[in-house]
Amino acid sequence: MPRTQPTTDALRAMHEQGYVLLREMLQPRQIDEVRAAIDRLEPIHWDYQGLVDDHYKCVFNRDPLWLPYLDLPGVIELVEACLGADCHVIGQTAWRSHPGFVGGELHADYLAMELPEALLADPTFRLPMQVCTAHIYLDRIDADLCPTRVIPGSHRAGRKPRMGETDWKGREPEPVLCDAGDVLLFRSDLWHAGSRNRTADRSRYLLQVHYGRRMVAQKFSPYLQWHFNPDVLGAATPRQRRLLGEHEASEYD
């Protein structure tokens, strides 16, 4: 793909391929900032620091520093085109994947409903997206540094992979190789997988942002004990506040 891409082309790729790689969405200063911020994180609630990976949930609520990564220019416009101008964030997770890390098997994150594959094969039918995830890469991702693997077009399967499936229509997952600052946006019904960190001394730093349509619930752990950080709300722009859940009234409010 070209290094810059109009939203219209990227939106077409989301419908046809199920994902798009957006190049150079972060500046070197931002890459360094986020990596350093991840190194400062301490686990709370369901977070963990393990032998081969570290995982921190809802990092947007810890410090205003994380807010600009909810609505990165060039990314948020595509997200809103995919999910609607009233979409919101349903999660922001920071990861460090160390040597020896083993990524997840082939899966789809979320499927609103199963549909006949014959229906989805019709090129005139476009299945609306409900949830999308942005992988914000903070390292150059080569074949050894646990690249995300995707099966282009597999969102048209109309179902999640079955136990033991490793391909869709004979097409196996392909690694997404990219540079630090690139962003992979993919729809939640796309079949994708993780992979191993085969390096001897490099950890993959990754910031994930999950977006959902207005009617997809925001499930921020620890749920009933959840409270927004007032410093974060005070620093948020109107768009960021909407992404955090400050919506206009609607039928179910």
Side-chain angles (χ1 to χ4, degrees):
M1 290 183 180
R3 297 192 73 80
T4 58
Q5 187 174 45
T7 298
T8 51
D9 290 345
L11 181 60
R12 184 180 304 112
M14 291 293 289
H15 281 294
E16 295 177 357
Q17 302 298 317
Y19 73 97
V20 66
L21 182 62
L22 304 170
R23 299 285 193 173
E24 297 180 349
M25 294 293 103
L26 268 65
Q27 299 299 314
R29 171 192 58 79
Q30 294 173 298
I31 296 167
D32 293 340
E33 174 184 69
V34 178
R35 287 176 63 94
I38 292 175
D39 284 336
R40 292 193 299 269
L41 289 172
E42 295 292 338
I44 57 175
H45 192 55
W46 286 346
D47 300 343
Y48 62 83
Q49 291 177 330
L51 293 176
V52 293
D53 67 327
D54 308 315
H55 178 250
Y56 309 94
K57 297 170 68 67
C58 297
V59 295
F60 62 82
N61 204 42
R62 306 194 189 199
D63 190 290
L65 174 148
W66 301 97
L67 286 170
Y69 304 99
L70 298 179
D71 60 344
L72 282 170
V75 177
I76 190 60
E77 293 83 3
L78 176 57
V79 170
E80 291 175 345
C82 290
L83 301 175
D86 58 352
C87 64
H88 54 211
V89 166
I90 60 175
Q92 186 187 43
T93 306
W95 294 81
R96 284 182 302 205
S97 302
H98 306 300
F101 172 78
V102 179
E105 299 295 331
L106 187 65
H107 65 285
D109 290 334
Y110 172 71
L111 190 69
M113 66 181 72
E114 291 198 2
L115 291 172
E117 191 167 340
L119 171 64
L120 297 173
D122 182 349
T124 65
F125 179 76
R126 279 191 164 183
L127 181 64
M129 296 171 236
Q130 302 300 318
V131 173
C132 294
T133 292
H135 278 190
I136 302 172
Y137 293 102
L138 305 169
D139 300 274
R140 182 180 62 83
I141 303 299
D142 56 34
D144 292 327
L145 193 59
C146 40
T148 307
R149 297 180 295 145
V150 300
I151 302 183
S154 56
H155 60 291
R156 291 185 174 271
R159 60 177 177 82
K160 291 186 175 184
R162 299 189 181 99
M163 183 79 68
E165 276 190 298
T166 58
D167 66 86
W168 177 66
K169 290 189 171 181
R171 192 162 190 176
E172 297 185 347
E174 304 172 3
V176 178
L177 308 181
C178 57
D179 294 321
D182 293 347
V183 175
L184 173 67
L185 185 71
F186 61 96
R187 47 191 298 161
S188 66
D189 44 3
L190 181 75
W191 293 18
H192 63 285
S195 59
R196 295 176 179 269
N197 184 341
R198 301 180 185 278
T199 72
D201 57 0
R202 288 187 290 155
S203 295
R204 185 192 68 174
Y205 284 65
L206 175 70
L207 183 64
Q208 279 185 326
V209 187
H210 306 288
Y211 301 91
R213 286 189 179 273
R214 165 73 185 272
M215 296 310 296
V216 174
Q218 293 178 293
K219 299 178 281 289
F220 299 145
S221 60
Y223 308 125
L224 293 180
Q225 291 77 43
W226 172 264
H227 297 284
F228 275 107
N229 181 336
D231 292 336
V232 170
L233 293 182
T237 66
R239 180 188 244 167
Q240 290 164 354
R241 289 180 68 96
R242 187 208 81 222
L243 289 169
L244 293 176
E246 188 176 67
H247 290 287
E248 296 181 3
S250 72
E251 294 80 0
Y252 301 106
D253 293 337

